[in-house]
């Protein structure tokens, strides 16, 4: 009876983890839309105002830059999850055996986890330092930490997604005839 209960509890935990994961992913996609639309409209309005009417909006470039940083890092995390980030896969042209290729993918994903984890640790230190220093934007006096925290959030999410890819790649590499 105890073993049956453990299996049920494990399934419940896995289900909860999957729901949490997809909630976080959907939140990321919503953030991208929420940032992309006004960012595009603002850039269009600024371009129109500057080059058609010969006027500019005061410090609008600051807001564009701040929102763009969040867009870049959340977008990078989503691209990492979807495996659509930019890669140079020249080795795949040389390696023909699927298992060898999957072993290499496992190694590459392990390196990616390490680099993303280092970036996460660095970002955390950076955000903590920014909080201590009370840095603010020169014009609007907005705390820089609001924008700098995008590095921490994005790099943490990328670390998690690279870790998921590494686990998947290790599983494929361990199979005698692994899919490519």
């Amino acid at each position: 009876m105890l073993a049956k209960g453990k299996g049920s509890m494990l399934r419940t935990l896995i289900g909860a983890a999957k729901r949490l994961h997809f909630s976080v992913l959907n939140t990321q996609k919503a953030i991208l839309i929420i940032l992309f639309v006004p960012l595009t409209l603002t850039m269009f309005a600024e371009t129109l105002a500057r080059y058609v009417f010969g006027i500019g909006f005061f410090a609008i470039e600051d807001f564009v830059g701040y929102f763009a940083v969040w867009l870049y890092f959340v977008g990078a995390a989503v691209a990492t999850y979807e495996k659509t980030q930019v890669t140079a896969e020249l080795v795949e042209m040389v390696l023909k055996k699927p298992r060898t290729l999957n072993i290499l993918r496992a190694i590459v994903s392990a390196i990616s986890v390490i680099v993303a984890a280092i970036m996460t640790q660095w970002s955390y230190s950076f955000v903590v330092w920014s909080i201590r220093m009370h840095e603010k934007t020169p014009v609007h006096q907005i705390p820089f930490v609001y924008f700098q925290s995008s590095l921490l959030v994005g790099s943490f999410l990328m670390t998690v997604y690279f870790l998921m890819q590494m686990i998947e790649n290790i599983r494929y590499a361990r199979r005698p005839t692994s899919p490519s």
Side-chain angles (χ1 to χ4, degrees), residues 26-39:
N26 288 334
T27 301
Q28 287 173 255
K29 290 179 180 182
I31 288 170
L32 289 177
I33 292 168
I34 289 168
L35 290 172
F36 185 75
V37 171
L39 192 61

Side-chain angles (χ1 to χ4, degrees), residues 65-80:
Y66 303 145
F67 290 128
V69 171
W70 272 98
L71 185 73
Y72 300 151
F73 280 93
V74 173
V78 171
T80 301

Side-chain angles (χ1 to χ4, degrees), residues 10-163:
L10 182 60
R11 280 192 298 278
T12 302
L13 287 173
I14 290 172
K18 284 182 180 180
R19 285 190 299 279
L20 175 65
H21 169 254
F22 286 113
S23 294
V24 169
L25 188 61
N26 288 334
T27 301
Q28 287 173 255
K29 290 179 180 182
I31 288 170
L32 289 177
I33 292 168
I34 289 168
L35 290 172
F36 185 75
V37 171
L39 192 61
T40 303
L41 293 174
T42 303
M43 290 172 69
F44 175 75
E46 173 67 12
T47 303
L48 188 68
R50 183 174 292 164
Y51 296 107
V52 175
F53 300 111
I55 59 171
F57 299 123
F58 180 66
I60 197 73
E61 296 87 5
D62 292 346
F63 282 110
V64 168
Y66 303 145
F67 290 128
V69 171
W70 272 98
L71 185 73
Y72 300 151
F73 280 93
V74 173
V78 171
T80 301
Y81 171 77
E82 294 178 347
K83 300 178 188 174
T84 56
Q85 71 272 26
V86 176
T87 59
E89 297 179 355
L90 300 173
V91 177
E92 291 190 9
M93 294 188 307
V94 177
L95 297 177
K96 300 299 180 194
K97 293 182 181 178
R99 184 157 191 248
T100 305
L101 191 56
N102 286 323
I103 290 169
L104 180 66
R105 286 180 183 151
I107 293 168
V108 168
S109 58
I111 293 168
S112 298
V113 169
I114 292 167
V115 170
I118 290 169
M119 186 173 163
T120 301
Q121 198 284 321
W122 173 83
S123 300
Y124 174 77
S125 298
F126 185 51
V127 167
V128 168
W129 177 83
S130 184
I131 291 169
R132 284 189 195 132
M133 297 305 290
H134 303 288
E135 289 185 305
K136 294 186 177 181
T137 61
V139 176
H140 301 290
Q141 295 298 302
I142 300 169
F144 270 122
V145 73
Y146 294 157
F147 316 111
Q148 294 166 341
S149 59
S150 65
L151 281 78
L152 178 60
V153 171
S155 59
F156 173 75
L157 290 169
M158 285 187 276
T159 302
V160 170
Y161 296 145
F162 279 131
L163 184 62

